[in-house]
Amino acid sequence: MQIDLSGRTALITGGSMGLGRAMAERMAASGASVVVVARRQEPIDACVKAITDAGGKAHGISCDVTDPAAIEAAYKEAVQTFGKVDILVNNAGSSLRGPFLEMTDEQWRGDIELKLFAQIRFSRLAFADMKARKWGRIINVLNTGAKAPPAEGAPTAVTRAAGLALSKVLSNEGAPHNILVNALMTGLIDSDQHVRKHAADNRGLSYDEFKVEMAEKARIPIGRIGRAEEFANVACFLASDAASYVTGVDINIDGGRSPVT
């Protein structure tokens, strides 16, 4: 299927590395102007350069998404740069988890600010503009723990579950205005965090062997961990007119691992 995002602008938080960068590059390749929002300037610049070198349009913004004022400034800069934001991908986050009794109030508050409130604040800004134009796409990147919370999965599983509820609320409010809101539930996807884990592993395994071992331990039915490009393909579809009757859904991208569909 040919996806055409020509004339659209996508703002992607956590957009400079991993899944965010894969989505930025995929949407840019489909014709969208892309605003890459992340904290560190160096990976932002590298992502923007990769997109522009390939003939795409991109702009990078350094932003602490736990800071409401920084979020407003980033959104304003995105609109000033490309005129509007048609597609919002709330992707910023981390995977903080551990035994419940060991999680402090500070860790809980930080996780909620980073994941849930960042989604709320960016969505509030974009939603109003999308409503005025009668067209919009919001994609919230969560994980399968939001639907099947594991032991020692907090605070991430709890925060992501709240993000799932937010997605459904927004989808119901947005549907009459052609604002489609969906959630993508991440499973084990090849990313920088796994590269770092491999680097810290001293058993002499190659990275390919390390990934095979991860897939086996996780009992992924498809037999391997996913690629960021596979995730980005689904996001690009949801951002397009090809998905014009899809809203309020959460899609597992996990090779069949989650017990909850």
Side-chain angles (χ1 to χ4, degrees):
M1 180 185 295
Q2 186 70 32
I3 300 297
D4 185 6
L5 298 180
S6 299
R8 304 296 185 192
T9 297
L11 186 157
I12 303 173
T13 69
S16 64
M17 300 176 68
L19 294 179
R21 176 164 174 168
M23 288 185 285
E25 291 181 345
R26 180 65 176 86
M27 290 186 189
S30 294
S33 300
V34 177
V35 179
V36 176
V37 175
R39 184 174 297 208
R40 295 189 295 124
Q41 193 65 51
E42 185 176 348
I44 291 172
D45 291 343
C47 181
V48 168
K49 185 177 186 302
I51 290 171
T52 55
D53 285 352
K57 296 179 181 179
H59 178 72
I61 302 173
S62 177
C63 173
D64 177 358
V65 300
T66 66
D67 181 347
I71 287 174
E72 288 194 26
Y75 184 81
K76 183 178 180 180
E77 184 176 338
V79 172
Q80 288 176 336
T81 302
F82 290 124
K84 57 180 178 171
V85 172
D86 302 292
I87 301 157
L88 171 65
V89 182
N90 287 308
N91 175 62
S94 62
S95 184
L96 178 62
R97 53 182 293 174
F100 173 73
L101 292 178
E102 295 179 11
M103 292 293 109
T104 66
D105 283 1
E106 183 179 12
Q107 288 173 311
W108 276 97
R109 279 191 292 267
D111 203 66
I112 290 169
E113 283 286 339
L114 174 62
K115 296 171 188 168
L116 181 60
F117 267 106
Q119 292 187 355
I120 290 170
R121 289 162 179 152
F122 270 110
S123 296
R124 186 161 49 209
L125 292 166
F127 198 94
D129 290 344
M130 292 173 177
K131 185 176 178 180
R133 291 194 304 274
K134 292 292 184 180
W135 201 99
R137 302 288 188 268
I138 298 176
I139 300 169
N140 291 326
V141 177
L142 309 173
N143 65 41
T144 55
K147 295 191 289 186
E152 300 187 359
T156 286
V158 176
T159 309
R160 292 310 197 190
L164 182 56
L166 174 66
S167 302
K168 193 63 177 179
V169 168
L170 291 177
S171 73
N172 285 328
E173 291 193 25
H177 309 286
N178 194 31
I179 303 170
L180 309 185
V181 185
N182 296 290
L184 292 181
M185 320 302 284
T186 310
L188 268 177
I189 307 288
D190 193 1
S191 67
D192 298 298
Q193 66 176 323
H194 299 314
V195 172
R196 291 193 295 271
K197 287 179 181 179
H198 173 254
D201 187 285
N202 56 12
R203 292 175 297 158
L205 296 176
S206 70
Y207 186 52
D208 286 339
E209 291 170 333
F210 185 77
K211 289 190 293 183
V212 168
E213 182 182 76
M214 278 199 301
E216 290 174 347
K217 286 182 177 179
R219 297 182 179 178
I220 299 174
I222 209 168
R224 61 175 176 83
I225 68 173
R227 298 187 300 273
E229 293 79 9
E230 293 173 308
F231 188 96
N233 286 338
V234 181
C236 193
F237 166 71
L238 290 176
S240 74
D241 283 321
S244 56
Y245 202 59
V246 181
T247 194
V249 303
D250 48 272
I251 302 173
N252 295 348
I253 306 178
D254 69 342
R257 182 189 182 198
S258 176
V260 181
T261 59

